[in-house]
Amino acid sequence: MGTCRQLARRARAKFSGASPRLAEVSDAEHQVVSERFITACANGDLQALTAVLDPTVWGVGTILGDFGLPPQVNHGPQDVATNLLRYLGHGATLVTGPVGEPVLLAFAERRLFAVLVLTVRDNLILKIEATVDPSAANRT
């Protein structure tokens, strides 16, 4: 339970400290892009996932806790999608978060293990910031 609170606290801190949006993105666009992302992950479909990612996409993953590990950063649709499917493919359930920004909550066996903040531009995901529970770090 404490891990969930810490995950939520870090996600809220990211929202409040986030840089201004590149351009206003409608709720409908967020919904469409999030649904495409969730469907691609749920099906383990690398091609569909790379199709929803901007050609300049980058992702950063931070593991909760003080393990001395630097954030993991991936660049480009292929590397970002491959790494995402490692954690969000088979066995993970993704749902949209109840906030204005495109946020996804990732669950495994009914337990929250990651929060993803998406930056969307032109119906594609430009950046993904993930905060991951340490117990999820070994998911394959």
Side-chain angles (χ1 to χ4, degrees):
M1 186 68 161
T3 301
C4 284
R5 282 190 215 120
Q6 186 177 11
L7 199 57
R9 184 174 52 249
R10 291 218 179 159
R12 280 191 296 274
K14 279 189 180 191
F15 298 142
S16 64
S19 57
R21 292 183 189 195
L22 297 170
E24 280 299 312
V25 177
S26 71
D27 289 341
E29 183 177 346
H30 285 166
Q31 186 66 31
V32 167
V33 171
S34 295
E35 286 176 8
R36 289 176 52 210
F37 181 89
I38 290 170
T39 300
C41 287
N43 292 327
D45 189 339
L46 184 64
Q47 185 175 0
L49 186 53
T50 58
V52 76
L53 301 176
D54 187 90
T56 64
V57 69
W58 63 283
V60 60
T62 305
I63 300 201
L64 284 175
D66 186 19
F67 297 98
L69 299 173
Q72 179 180 355
V73 180
N74 296 101
H75 298 275
Q78 190 71 30
D79 287 345
V80 170
T82 299
N83 191 56
L84 284 168
L85 287 181
R86 185 172 148 224
Y87 293 98
L88 303 177
H90 182 71
T93 301
L94 290 169
V95 296
T96 56
V99 293
E101 295 292 319
V103 175
L104 302 178
L105 306 174
F107 294 87
E109 298 176 4
R110 302 171 84 174
R111 190 172 146 262
L112 178 67
F113 74 87
V115 175
L116 293 89
V117 179
L118 309 178
T119 300
V120 175
R121 179 183 70 193
D122 299 328
N123 289 307
L124 296 172
I125 298 170
L126 185 63
K127 180 171 86 172
I128 301 168
E129 297 173 89
T131 303
V132 181
D133 180 323
S135 65
N138 293 324
R139 285 180 54 91
T140 56

